[in-house]
Amino acid sequence: IWGGVEHRLAPNLPTGADFVHGFAHNRPWRVTTRTDAEASLALRLPDDLSLAERSGYPFAVRLRLQLALKRSALALELTAINNGPEPVPVGLGLHPYLATDWLAADRAVVRVALPGDSERVLDGAVPTHEQRSPRALSIPQHGAMLRVIRTELGPSPMVLIAAPGAPAVVELTLDGAFNELGFFVPAEQRAISPEPLTSPLSAASQPTGHPAGLRRLRPGEGLVARARLALVDAVGVLPC
């Protein structure tokens, strides 16, 4: 419910229970500029959505994704701008999958350090409003799944992913626009996925003004979220 009007979006979790991943990742973006090391992409909402998605999200928002590759680091900047006459709900997120085979043959020896002073209690795959102190992480072996959601990330959150004997450490640095971090280890893929978010995972199900809801952008206002994914020297930064 936004501004007193109910907007329905089809659930997109495998369980069919909730709408959490948005729709921008399923739509074709336009490449607006490109060089050997940089690119800018754009998506216009609701014009670039399917008919079903437009009925659930009729708001005029312009999205821009900028990428820049420099040596061993990839910088990403996501921007959402309200081009309409009324306030709109917006949530931004990244969902990078990082292969673990180059770190270690056994995924279970991979070590991860996550930011966050609190952890959300999950009901299956969906976060509840309950929180608890962060638990120690242990990456499961192939065939088992892990899902964690951290919050209260602080002003400059950082994720470190490493393994004993690996040539480098994966370092994901975030700016303060990201205030939630999901961490997902799929059962059937040799990968792990840190998922920074500007709103809680189930924010689209919350009404206007809810503290766990989507960000509210005034007409002409923008939301910018930046991340940097890099390979750094393993010496001295290996998570415990």
Side-chain angles (χ1 to χ4, degrees):
I1 298 176
W2 186 261
V5 178
E6 183 178 71
H7 301 276
R8 291 186 175 270
L9 291 163
N12 58 6
L13 273 182
T15 59
D18 212 335
F19 178 87
V20 296
H21 281 126
F23 32 68
H25 63 296
N26 284 329
R27 308 306 303 170
W29 291 58
R30 289 179 300 281
V31 178
T32 55
T33 62
R34 183 179 63 183
T35 68
D36 289 343
E38 298 183 1
S40 294
L41 299 89
L43 190 70
R44 295 186 306 168
L45 308 180
D47 304 16
D48 293 337
L49 300 179
S50 68
L51 290 177
E53 290 166 338
R54 290 181 203 176
S55 64
Y57 193 87
F59 309 104
V61 175
R62 299 296 178 261
L63 299 177
R64 182 174 69 244
L65 172 62
Q66 295 176 281
L67 306 103
L69 184 62
K70 186 176 182 180
R71 294 183 181 178
S72 58
L74 176 65
L76 305 98
E77 181 177 287
L78 276 167
T79 303
I81 299 175
N82 179 3
N83 276 10
E86 303 291 338
V88 301
V90 168
L92 300 176
L94 297 172
H95 204 315
Y97 271 75
L98 308 175
T100 55
D101 285 350
W102 74 275
L103 282 169
D106 180 4
R107 186 174 72 177
V109 306
V110 174
R111 296 292 176 261
V112 178
L114 299 180
D117 293 333
S118 185
E119 184 175 299
R120 292 196 181 276
V121 177
L122 302 181
D123 179 8
V126 179
T128 68
H129 299 309
E130 296 181 56
Q131 298 183 28
R132 61 187 172 203
S133 298
R135 300 171 298 169
L137 284 180
S138 180
I139 305 300
Q141 293 183 332
H142 187 67
M145 185 187 74
L146 172 69
R147 188 187 302 274
V148 175
I149 298 178
R150 292 281 180 86
T151 187
E152 300 178 20
L153 303 185
S156 301
M158 177 185 294
V159 179
L160 295 174
I161 303 169
V169 171
V170 178
E171 179 185 272
L172 175 63
T173 54
L174 310 169
D175 73 2
F178 290 113
N179 53 24
E180 298 259 328
L181 179 74
F183 185 75
F184 178 55
V185 181
E188 302 303 327
Q189 299 178 43
R190 297 186 182 278
I192 54 181
S193 179
E195 307 168 6
L197 305 161
T198 61
S199 300
L201 191 63
S202 57
S205 302
Q206 307 302 331
T208 307
H210 194 283
L214 294 168
R215 297 283 187 94
R216 179 182 184 272
L217 294 186
R218 299 184 301 273
E221 186 180 10
L223 172 63
V224 181
R226 300 179 180 90
R228 182 177 181 270
L229 188 63
L231 296 178
V232 300
D233 192 334
V235 177
V237 293
L238 183 67
C240 299

